[in-house]
C-alpha cells in the first residue's frame, strides 16, 4: 500500500518543515492545498440538545433530518474521507481560526497560487449550522409548494417562477401577509420588476424579511398551520451567526492579502445549506475581481446540479466570480445510515453511475460558464481517470487553455500520482491536498486516510503496472534513462 503522504508529512508540522515537500512537487508543476487536519476527541460522541429546546419541545418539532440524534452526535462515524471538529465553545472556534490563519500564511510562504482549506464546523457551533440549514430548506420548500400549486411542479429550479400578483394573493390567502404588506417586501428592490419571482429572488426576500420584528410565518407541511420560520433562532444563535461571519471575514482578508485562495470544504447534508449560504455571503464580498473563496459541491447529492446552477446564476446577477470545487462526496455511508434510522429521504444519488453523471453534468455547466463569462473557476477534485479525461476533452472543445488557470485539478497527497504529475508536467494547474499541523494532533486524520487508502489499492496497482510497462518499453528501446 502506498502511504507517501504519511512519511512526508512527519516533517511537515509548520511552514518551514513543509517547504521541501512542496518544492519537490513544484518542480513537477504540482501545487498544494494546505489542509489543517486536526480532529477533536469527541469523547462519548453524544449529541447536545440545548436546555431551551427541551423546555419548548423544540427538538421534537424539528424536521427529522435536522434533529439531534445520539447515534450521530459524533460525526466521525462512517467517515473516512474527511476530518471533523467538535464544538467546545466560542473560544475554541477562535483558536481554530488562528490556526487557519497560520495555515494561510504557510501556504503563501511555501507555494505560488496555493489554496488553504477550512471547515465551517471548526468556526461555528454545528448545532447552529443544523438549525440554520433547516430554516433555509423550509423557506425554499415553501417557494416550491406555491410553485406546485401554480402547476410548475418538476420544473428546473431556475425555470420555476411565481408571478408577483399571484404570489401576493397566495400570501394573503394563507394569512402570512396582506397584499399591502407583501407589496412592501418589494419596495426599493429589483425584485419583481419583471413581474415574476424566481428562487434566487425568493431567497433574497428571506434576508430582508428576517430583519423585521414581526415573525415570518410559513405553513407546516403536515398540519397546514402557520408556524414562525425563525422560532428555533435564539439570541445566542444570532450572535453565533455574527461570529462565524466575522471569523470568515478575518480569514478571507488574510487570504486576499497573502494571495491565497480559500477553499470551504463541504460537510454533511444537514450542515450544508448553512455552510453554502455563509460561503456565498463571503464570496459576495471577496470575489469581486477574482475568485478568492471557493465553495465545495458534493455530486453524490441529489440536489447538486440545482445548487451549482443556482449559485452560478447568483454570481452572474451580482457580478462576482464563481469559484467551486467539485467532489463526489465523503459521507455516503453515514448519510444513508442516518436517513434510514431517522426516517427521512436519502439525500444521496441511488447509484455510483448516477453520481458520475451528476459530477459530469455539474462540471460541464461550470466549464460552459467559464467559456462564456470567464468569471468562473473550478477545481476538479477527483481521483477518477475518466473524469479527468472528460475534463481535458471538454476544455479542448470549449477552447479553455491550461494557462487560463480557470480549471485546476486536485488529488490527495500520496494518491493517484499517475494522474497528478503528468497533468503538472503538461502545464495544467494541479494540486495535492497536503495535511498540515502537529503530527500528534493529526494522527486520527492520518489513520483515516490510511483506512481510505485501502479503497484505492486498485489504483495503486494500476500505477505500479503503468510504471513497469514504461520500464520495459525503455529497456526494449535502449532509452532507460531518457526523460
Amino acid at each position: 500500500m502506498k502511504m507517501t503522504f504519511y512519511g512526508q508529512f512527519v516533517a511537515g508540522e509548520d511552514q518551514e518543515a513543509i517547504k521541501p515537500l512542496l518544492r519537490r512537487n513544484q518542480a513537477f508543476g504540482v501545487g498544494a492545498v494546505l489542509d489543517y487536519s486536526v480532529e477533536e476527541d469527541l469523547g462519548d460522541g453524544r449529541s447536545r440538545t440545548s436546555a431551551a429546546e427541551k423546555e419548548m419541545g423544540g427538538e421534537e418539532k424539528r424536521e427529522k433530518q435536522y434533529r439531534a440524534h445520539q447515534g450521530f452526535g459524533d460525526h466521525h462515524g462512517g467517515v473516512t474521507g474527511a476530518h471533523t471538529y467538535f464544538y467546545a465553545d466560542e473560544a475554541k472556534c477562535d483558536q481554530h481560526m488562528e490556526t487557519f490563519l497560520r495555515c494561510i500564511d504557510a501556504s503563501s510562504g511555501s507555494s505560488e497560487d496555493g489554496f488553504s482549506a477550512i471547515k465551517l464546523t471548526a468556526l461555528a457551533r454545528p448545532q447552529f449550522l443544523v438549525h440554520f440549514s433547516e430554516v433555509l430548506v423550509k423557506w425554499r420548500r415553501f417557494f416550491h409548494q406555491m410553485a406546485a400549486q401554480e402547476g410548475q411542479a418538476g420544473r428546473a429550479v431556475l425555470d420555476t417562477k411565481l408571478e408577483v400578483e399571484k404570489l401576493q394573493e397566495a400570501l394573503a390567502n394563507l394569512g402570512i401577509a396582506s397584499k399591502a404588506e407583501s407589496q412592501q417586501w418589494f419596495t426599493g428592490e429589483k425584485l419583481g420588476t419583471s413581474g415574476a419571482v424566481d428562487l434566487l429572488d425568493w431567497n433574497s426576500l428571506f434576508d430582508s424579511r428576517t430583519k423585521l420584528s414581526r415573525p415570518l410565518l410559513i405553513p407546516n407541511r403536515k398540519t397546514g398551520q402557520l408556524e414562525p420560520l425563525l422560532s428555533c433562532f435564539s439570541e445566542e444563535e444570532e450572535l453565533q451567526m455574527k461570529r462565524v461571519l466575522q471569523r470568515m471575514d478575518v480569514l478571507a482578508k488574510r487570504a486576499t492579502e497573502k494571495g491565497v485562495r480559500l477553499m470551504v470544504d463541504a460537510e454533511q447534508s444537514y450542515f450544508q445549506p448553512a455552510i453554502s449560504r455563509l460561503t456565498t455571503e463571503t464570496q459576495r464580498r471577496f470575489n469581486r475581481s477574482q475568485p478568492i473563496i471557493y465553495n465545495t459541491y458534493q455530486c453524490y447529492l441529489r440536489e447538486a446540479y440545482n445548487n451549482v446552477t443556482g449559485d452560478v446564476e447568483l454570481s452572474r446577477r451580482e457580478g462576482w466570480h464563481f469559484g467551486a470545487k467539485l467532489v463526489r462526496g465523503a459521507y455516503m455511508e453515514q448519510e444513508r445510515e442516518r436517513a434510514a434510522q431517522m426516517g427521512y429521504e436519502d439525500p444521496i444519488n441511488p447509484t455510483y453511475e448516477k453520481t458520475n453523471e451528476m459530477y459530469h453534468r455539474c462540471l460541464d455547466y461550470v466549464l460552459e460558464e467559464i467559456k462564456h463569462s470567464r468569471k468562473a473557476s473550478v477545481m476538479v477534485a477527483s481521483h477518477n481517470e475518466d473524469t479527468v479525461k472528460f475534463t481535458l476533452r471538454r476544455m479542448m472543445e470549449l477552447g479553455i487553455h491550461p494557462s487560463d488557470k480557470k480549471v485546476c485539478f486536485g488529488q490527495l497527497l500520496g494518491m493517484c500520482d499517475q494522474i497528478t504529475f503528468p497533468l503538472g508536467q503538461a502545464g495544467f494547474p494541479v494540486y495535492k491536498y497536503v495535511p498540515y499541523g502537529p503530527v500528534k494532533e493529526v494522527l486520527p486524520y492520518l489513520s483515516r486516510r490510511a483506512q481510505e487508502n485501502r479503497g484505492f489499492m486498485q489504483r495503486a496497482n494500476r500505477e505500479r503496472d503503468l510504471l513497469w510497462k514504461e520500464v520495459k518499453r525503455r529497456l526494449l528501446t535502449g532509452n532507460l534513462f531518457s526523460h
Side-chain angles (χ1 to χ4, degrees), residues 115 261 294 324 326 363 366-368 370-371 374 376-381 387-388 390-392 394-396 398-410 423 427-431:
F115 287 90
R261 287 162 291 179
Y294 280 60
L326 297 181
L363 174 56
V366 179
L367 293 175
E368 290 279 358
I370 291 170
K371 175 189 176 182
R374 316 303 291 181
S377 299
V378 63
M379 172 177 276
V380 182
T387 292
V388 173
F390 172 86
T391 308
L392 299 178
R394 291 297 289 141
M395 287 178 68
M396 184 174 65
L398 296 170
I400 302 171
H401 196 271
S403 62
D404 296 337
K405 296 186 177 180
K406 295 292 184 180
V407 180
C408 60
F409 299 85
L423 285 172
F428 289 88
V430 61
Y431 297 83

Side-chain angles (χ1 to χ4, degrees), residues 470-483:
E470 178 64 12
V471 168
K472 288 193 292 185
R473 185 192 69 80
R474 293 188 182 189
L475 283 171
L476 291 172
T477 59
N479 294 314
L480 181 60
F481 298 105
S482 65
H483 293 288

